[in-house]
Amino acid sequence: MKQLKVVQTFISRFLILILSFGLVIFSTNMWGSEGKGTISIVIANVALVSFFSSIFSGSSTSYFARKFKVEQVLVYSYLWSLIVGTAVPLIFSFAAIQNEFLYYLIGISVLSSLLSTNISLFIGTQNIRFFNIYTVLQQLVHVLFIAILIYIVKLKDVSVYFLAQIFCLALLFLTSLILILKKCKFSEFSFSKSVFINMFEYGWKTQLSAFIQFLNYRLSFYFLEYFEGIAVVGIFSIGITFSEAIWTITRSIAVVLYSDVVNSESREESIVKTKSSLKLSFSLMLVFVLGILIIPDFVYPFIFGKEFSETKLIMLLLAPGILAIAVSDMIGYYFSGIKELKVLNIKSIVGLLITVIFSLFAIPKWGIWGACFVTTLSYVVSAAILFWKFYQSTDFKIKDYIISKDEINALIKTFSKKSN
């Protein structure tokens, strides 16, 4: 049953990977490196807001979905999403961060947080099917709205990207809300001090690590914009977009692992499942990273435009970090599932310190290549800390990362069942 969940989630994430690549190709050709840079900065700001709103709407919703009444969990998650999704962008406006896109930032922040609550609830209740459907639809419906706005409504500005995302998130939130409310009792929607305290305590500890890790992933964007300009951010962001598109594959495994660990009462069983996930994610990452790296140099500017001729070298420099984060994510989700959050904060803080200290030297001196070096160093060191902590509680074995013939055959059988 677990293998089927992994396969279903893998297929959904593979579809997301294809849609993400298609959207990146379209946006770079439609709006160029400067437009892609603008999109990257605004979406980075959305992600920044989401780390505050996800104190309730993210893993906290998943974790407490079966520990408290769903209705009480939703009350706090929805209210927090509305308040934080509006307040944080307004604070950004005082700091003059992308003021011209403020209303888009508020709309996307609020709606993405509300939708995230519903998707997190699907994870917490082990409804992986709906989780997969809605994660794919976020990309697919976004692409459809972009096409409608450009080719039917005849809008051409880069703001089309954000307007389409608002329409997409609103539609998906409403449809997922209907599904959830069908299983809720309106009389059970109420405030509970105990629910609030538990969700907030778990949520801020989880999101502290996630927020710091986000800075590791995105701080280089802001350094590059300051020292090199928005167009360079657009070029560099292609490499990061590739990285995160690849990570969607391994995070499909991590989501199933997290759902299992949260609902498991056996630490030993959780470790065994984590090792199994490590093995599968490592094997998949080798395939995808090697696949991208063997693509000839001329393909990238042909697909994305002549401004992106250095994408291959960017990918080569980022590859070690991409692999390290993808595999270590399994361990990160394991620690999150058993509420050992301290190590997540430590690895994120160490990674952030590396990013800040080295960026101040490397990016002004080497520009985009300095950003690649700093990003990879931060990723590798952060991952190493997680591996070190995990293998303090269990033995290290090379076979933890080598998928066996029997396991390959089992996956093939599961794929066959899914296709029939």
Side-chain angles (χ1 to χ4, degrees), residues 24-312:
V24 169
I25 293 168
F26 178 83
S27 61
T28 53
N29 283 278
M30 183 74 184
W31 296 298
S33 60
E34 188 170 333
K36 184 65 176 71
T38 299
I39 291 170
S40 297
I41 292 294
V42 173
I43 296 303
N45 290 340
V46 171
L48 189 59
V49 177
S50 76
F51 287 112
F52 293 101
S53 59
S54 291
I55 289 174
F56 281 88
S57 68
S59 58
S60 191
T61 297
S62 298
Y63 188 82
F64 291 107
R66 286 188 167 174
K67 293 176 172 60
F68 295 120
K69 292 179 180 178
V70 167
E71 294 85 352
Q72 291 179 325
V73 171
L74 289 177
V75 164
Y76 290 111
S77 296
Y78 287 157
L79 285 176
W80 188 264
S81 297
L82 292 170
I83 294 169
V84 173
T86 304
V88 176
L90 287 175
I91 293 171
F92 283 177
S93 70
F94 293 123
I97 302 177
Q98 293 292 339
N99 275 341
E100 60 184 307
F101 298 106
L102 174 62
Y103 296 114
Y104 294 114
L105 180 58
I106 292 173
I108 295 171
S109 297
V110 169
L111 290 168
S112 64
S113 182
L114 290 171
L115 179 59
S116 176
T117 296
N118 294 351
I119 292 175
S120 296
L121 187 65
F122 293 147
I123 296 172
T125 55
Q126 294 189 297
N127 194 336
I128 303 301
R129 176 171 168 264
F130 278 140
F131 164 77
N132 289 330
I133 289 172
Y134 276 90
T135 49
V136 172
L137 287 177
Q138 283 184 78
Q139 289 288 340
L140 180 59
V141 177
H142 188 197
V143 170
L144 290 175
F145 274 118
I146 287 176
I148 291 170
L149 290 174
I150 290 176
Y151 298 109
I152 298 178
V153 184
K154 302 297 182 183
L155 298 177
K156 302 294 181 182
D157 188 73
V158 70
S159 61
V160 165
Y161 186 97
F162 310 121
L163 186 60
Q165 193 166 16
I166 289 173
F167 289 149
C168 165
L169 293 170
L171 177 63
L172 296 182
F173 168 67
L174 290 173
T175 56
S176 60
L177 179 64
I178 292 170
L179 292 172
I180 289 170
L181 291 180
K182 284 181 179 179
K183 296 184 178 181
C184 292
K185 295 180 180 178
F186 285 95
S187 60
E188 298 291 344
F189 282 95
S190 60
F191 295 98
S192 166
K193 184 178 179 181
S194 174
V195 173
F196 176 84
I197 292 173
N198 278 277
M199 289 184 71
F200 184 78
E201 182 181 359
Y202 180 83
W204 81 259
K205 289 178 180 178
T206 304
Q207 289 309 117
L208 177 61
S209 171
F211 174 68
I212 298 171
Q213 193 61 46
F214 160 79
L215 293 179
N216 292 343
Y217 293 161
R218 286 291 183 271
L219 203 57
S220 54
F221 281 20
Y222 299 102
F223 278 116
L224 276 173
E225 183 186 19
Y226 181 79
F227 290 113
E228 301 290 330
I230 195 72
V232 176
V233 176
I235 295 168
F236 178 69
S237 71
I238 292 295
I240 299 298
T241 301
F242 266 84
S243 305
E244 295 179 350
I246 294 170
W247 290 340
T248 61
I249 301 298
T250 52
R251 283 173 182 166
S252 65
I253 304 167
V255 167
V256 176
L257 171 66
Y258 176 77
S259 182
D260 287 340
V261 171
V262 164
N263 289 281
S264 174
E265 297 180 358
S266 169
R267 183 68 60 88
E268 291 75 19
E269 180 186 2
S270 295
I271 289 175
V272 170
K273 289 179 177 179
T274 302
K275 286 187 173 184
S276 177
S277 298
L278 281 171
K279 185 181 300 185
L280 183 56
S281 64
F282 180 73
S283 302
L284 287 171
M285 276 304 94
L286 282 180
V287 173
F288 278 95
V289 170
L290 289 173
I292 284 181
L293 295 182
I294 63 175
I295 297 174
D297 292 7
F298 70 86
V299 173
Y300 292 99
F302 176 76
I303 294 175
F304 299 113
K306 61 182 181 180
E307 296 171 291
F308 299 89
S309 59
E310 296 171 329
T311 299
K312 176 65 177 287

